[in-house]
Amino acid sequence: MRVGLLPSENSSYRITIWFLAIIGILVSSLPVIVVTLMSFSASSTTGFPPSEFSLRWYWEVIAMFTQEDASSAQSVVDSTVTSLLVAVLVMAISTFVCIPLAYALARGERRIREGMELLFTLPLVFPLVILGIAFLLIAESLRLEIGIWRIVIPHVALVIPFVLRNCIGAMQGISVEIEEAAISLGASPLRAIWDVVIPLMRAGILAGLIFALIISFNEFTITFFMYTIDVSTLPIWMYSRTVSSLDPSTLALSVFIIFADVVLIVLVDKLIAGRANLF
């Protein structure tokens, strides 16, 4: 027999639940709604609500990507390419690190696993400002010209906990008997991991990859301390356009980014729920 979570005979219970749900949705979605409405404003100012609506700023964004901008030290195209390159490198490195690490932790002793998980979640405990300052001090003390890796390395430290959590969650659903069966059929331990375990981890791996992409591409705080005039990401470029006054074109660009992030988050939800398959 199916029991309803919102019993019809208790109206106060239903009203409370719906009230809390609506408040939560409004709080989380209100900034997105405001930014989206302002991106359709026809005015050059940022008064809210907009008095007139148009696609003016969306055409401005398209023009920024198709025409050369001599007013900025780094163009929006260069910043976007840098952000994508950083995100791809972060995805690759974090996955290369987290897959074997998740396997070792899942197959190891529980006390060791809990201690290692705690260590790898330390970047989530630190305030991002302090984490950015720490990486800046390290970079300045080493005095090495490492180019884009100046941003990639801090981003890897930031996204590893998210990728590792997804990989460990996928590993916990894989019984050791499956590996033993593959080995008993003639596969080497390494071949059993490659042909059996990793394909079964694919949903967790892909979810971790998508989280790494979203977090790295949108990261601002740590990047603010680590960027240089030659290596700058899209969030830094957007911030530079809003220092003196808010440029409405950045709001339109934000809507494009929000849309891409929503698509990726929906994809993560389908992967984790087991309703999608990219392999």
Side-chain angles (χ1 to χ4, degrees):
M1 185 174 112
R2 185 174 180 180
V3 179
L5 294 179
L6 300 176
S8 57
E9 64 274 9
N10 193 340
S11 59
S12 61
Y13 177 83
R14 292 175 62 88
I15 292 173
T16 303
I17 292 298
W18 282 114
F19 175 77
L20 294 176
I22 292 172
I23 292 297
I25 292 172
L26 286 176
V27 169
S28 60
S29 62
L30 188 59
V32 177
I33 295 172
V34 171
V35 168
T36 303
L37 287 176
M38 290 303 304
S39 69
F40 288 99
S41 174
S43 174
S44 299
T45 61
T46 54
F48 185 84
S51 56
E52 297 181 45
F53 293 91
S54 75
L55 297 175
R56 170 186 176 182
W57 301 114
Y58 287 90
W59 292 116
E60 183 72 20
V61 170
I62 295 174
M64 287 191 298
F65 278 91
T66 56
Q67 301 174 8
E68 187 175 353
D69 184 10
S71 62
S72 299
Q74 189 174 31
S75 68
V76 64
V77 175
D78 293 335
S79 299
T80 304
V81 170
T82 300
S83 289
L84 289 174
L85 181 58
V86 168
V88 170
L89 289 172
V90 169
M91 288 168 59
I93 295 171
S94 59
T95 304
F96 181 79
V97 170
C98 289
I99 291 177
L101 182 59
Y103 178 85
L105 292 178
R107 294 290 186 257
E109 296 183 9
R110 181 175 180 179
R111 288 182 300 175
I112 297 177
R113 182 180 72 236
E114 292 176 351
M116 292 295 290
E117 287 183 19
L118 179 61
L119 289 175
F120 278 98
T121 54
L122 284 179
L124 300 181
V125 179
F126 276 86
L128 292 182
V129 173
I130 303 302
L131 199 61
I133 294 174
F135 275 110
L136 177 62
L137 293 175
I138 294 172
E140 293 300 323
S141 63
L142 294 177
R143 298 184 181 278
L144 296 176
E145 295 294 334
I146 53 178
I148 197 172
W149 295 98
R150 183 184 175 95
I151 298 177
V152 171
I153 295 172
H155 282 205
V156 169
L158 183 63
V159 306
I160 274 182
F162 297 93
V163 181
L164 184 60
R165 284 287 182 180
N166 281 278
C167 290
I168 290 178
M171 272 299 305
Q172 289 176 345
I174 303 173
S175 174
V176 69
E177 284 79 9
I178 298 177
E179 289 180 72
E180 294 174 347
I183 294 173
S184 67
L185 292 174
S188 65
L190 186 60
R191 187 65 182 270
I193 294 173
W194 183 261
D195 290 343
V196 178
V197 176
I198 291 181
L200 292 175
M201 291 176 63
R202 59 191 178 188
I205 294 172
L206 287 171
L209 284 173
I210 294 172
F211 274 123
L213 173 65
I214 294 174
I215 295 170
S216 177
F217 188 87
N218 294 320
E219 171 56 32
F220 170 79
T221 306
I222 295 178
T223 310
F224 181 77
F225 289 94
M226 302 302 295
Y227 84 97
T228 64
I229 192 171
D230 298 320
V231 182
S232 179
T233 61
L234 185 60
I236 298 298
W237 182 90
M238 295 173 66
Y239 172 75
S240 67
R241 302 276 291 199
T242 60
V243 172
S244 57
S245 62
L246 183 58
D247 185 352
S249 62
T250 59
L251 301 178
L253 181 57
S254 299
V255 173
F256 285 114
I257 297 174
I258 291 169
F259 177 78
D261 288 344
V262 168
V263 172
L264 291 174
I265 291 172
V266 170
L267 181 58
V268 168
D269 179 68
K270 290 183 177 295
L271 288 170
I272 294 176
R275 299 193 299 269
N277 186 353
L278 297 184
F279 288 167

